[in-house]
Amino acid sequence: MNSVLGSRRTALLLVGPALLVYTAITLVPIFWSFGYTFFSGGLISGFTFAGLKNFQTFFTDPNAWNALGFTLKYAIIVTIGQVAIGYLLALLYVFFLRRASSFVRTVVFFPVVLPTVAVSLLFQRMFQLTPQPGPANAVLQAFGGTGTDFLGHADSAFWVLIIMDIWRSMGFYAVLLFAGLVDIPDEIIESARLDGAGGWSLVRRIILPLSAPVLLSSVIFSINGTLKVFDSVVALTNGGPGNATTPLTLYMFQTAFTYGDYGYGSTIALMLTILCLIVTVFIFRGSRRDLTKA
């Protein structure tokens, strides 16, 4: 009995300080922000109780719906790109470049450790039109095309942002998925090959089901990260042109800190949190149904 109490006290002594810090840094701001959702105004203008008005405003705000639409479209495309390309690179490491995989992994992972601002400046230079055409416009002009202001048009700015974030993060998912693939026993792979499985059949019937847990984790990491995208958008387009590339996170930041409406900004943050939870639960339940059918 004394040993059990001693173990509990030791665990509380070791975990307690970290739990207090976590509560102070994470949980307190969450509840504080939730409280702001029932008020309008800010620190300078003062707070006024608004009840559920902020929630009503959100559902009738066209800018919020535009930001939500951009966020969902961006998150779906970038998640598919990051995980799919990362998985293909991981398969390439395992089956074709095992001897040189350390060098290749270093090269592919390198963009992950680059600062977001540096990557954004690189892509701005690559796609700029003035004062000197970047490589993308130089290639277009070399083949007889005209220069294009890629970051000055909504559609092209969106796709430049997509390309940049996929390139910047696919190395992380390649290494993460590689770690899952190398855990697959070689005996299973060799047995499947002896039974006639090879190429796409081997990947679809053997490798993909066995790597499903790490693949699911990668999808959840990616979708939650892309739903909360902020730094790369601010560094590359700052939400422009106009508000064409403004996600919910940037709209929340502008509402709270540029326009001083902490209540409505907190409401947007709460809606984004709920969206992340819904998407995560949907992915988990969908994967469990697939595993049950399998």
Side-chain angles (χ1 to χ4, degrees):
M1 184 69 177
N2 291 331
S3 61
V4 173
L5 290 175
S7 299
R8 290 180 177 176
R9 289 173 182 172
T10 302
L12 182 61
L13 182 64
L14 294 174
V15 177
L19 186 60
L20 288 174
V21 172
Y22 176 81
T23 302
I25 295 177
T26 304
L27 296 182
V28 170
I30 289 175
F31 289 109
W32 201 331
S33 178
F34 177 73
Y36 276 146
T37 62
F38 300 102
F39 294 85
S40 61
L43 296 176
I44 298 176
S45 61
F47 293 98
T48 304
F49 183 75
L52 299 176
K53 182 180 178 181
N54 286 323
F55 296 94
Q56 296 173 352
T57 302
F58 179 85
F59 288 109
T60 58
D61 183 2
N63 292 325
W65 284 102
N66 289 335
L68 177 62
F70 170 82
T71 301
L72 291 174
K73 183 169 69 170
Y74 168 89
I76 292 171
I77 296 174
V78 174
T79 296
I80 292 173
Q82 288 175 343
V83 177
I85 296 176
Y87 195 66
L88 290 174
L89 289 172
L91 291 172
L92 184 65
Y93 300 154
V94 172
F95 295 105
F96 299 101
L97 298 173
R98 187 178 288 270
R99 293 182 179 178
S101 62
S102 297
F103 173 75
V104 176
R105 273 181 291 165
T106 301
V107 172
V108 174
F109 193 79
F110 180 69
V112 179
V113 300
L114 291 176
T116 302
V117 174
V119 176
S120 300
L121 288 174
L122 172 64
F123 273 77
Q124 285 178 357
R125 297 293 184 271
M126 287 177 61
F127 290 94
Q128 72 180 9
L129 180 60
T130 58
Q132 183 177 356
N137 275 303
V139 171
L140 288 177
Q141 293 172 359
F143 285 94
T146 57
T148 301
D149 185 7
F150 287 97
L151 297 177
H153 296 88
D155 291 338
S156 55
F158 172 78
W159 286 108
V160 171
L161 180 64
I162 292 290
I163 294 169
M164 183 187 78
D165 280 342
I166 290 176
W167 176 80
R168 187 169 67 97
S169 302
M170 65 182 184
F172 170 79
Y173 295 97
V175 173
L176 181 65
L177 291 165
F178 173 80
L181 290 176
V182 296
D183 285 339
I184 299 175
D186 292 335
E187 295 80 6
I188 296 178
I189 304 296
E190 293 301 325
S191 177
R193 283 175 171 165
L194 291 174
D195 290 337
W200 170 243
S201 177
L202 178 65
V203 172
R204 183 170 63 88
R205 296 177 180 275
I206 305 298
I207 298 174
L208 192 58
L210 291 176
S211 60
V214 69
L215 196 58
L216 176 63
S217 299
S218 299
V219 171
I220 293 174
F221 280 143
S222 182
I223 196 70
N224 278 280
T226 51
L227 286 172
K228 295 179 288 187
V229 63
F230 179 80
D231 53 349
S232 59
V233 174
V234 173
L236 184 67
T237 65
N238 198 29
N243 61 352
T245 59
T246 300
L248 279 174
T249 51
L250 181 56
Y251 186 50
M252 171 197 67
F253 178 86
Q254 292 171 342
T255 301
F257 299 106
T258 302
Y259 305 116
D261 192 347
Y262 282 59
Y264 188 42
S266 298
T267 303
I268 298 171
L270 177 63
M271 291 300 172
L272 180 60
T273 303
I274 294 173
L275 176 63
C276 291
L277 290 173
I278 291 173
V279 170
T280 302
V281 171
F282 176 79
I283 293 173
F284 265 121
R285 296 192 68 174
S287 64
R288 291 172 75 181
R289 281 198 296 266
D290 291 340
L291 291 174
T292 303
K293 291 178 181 179

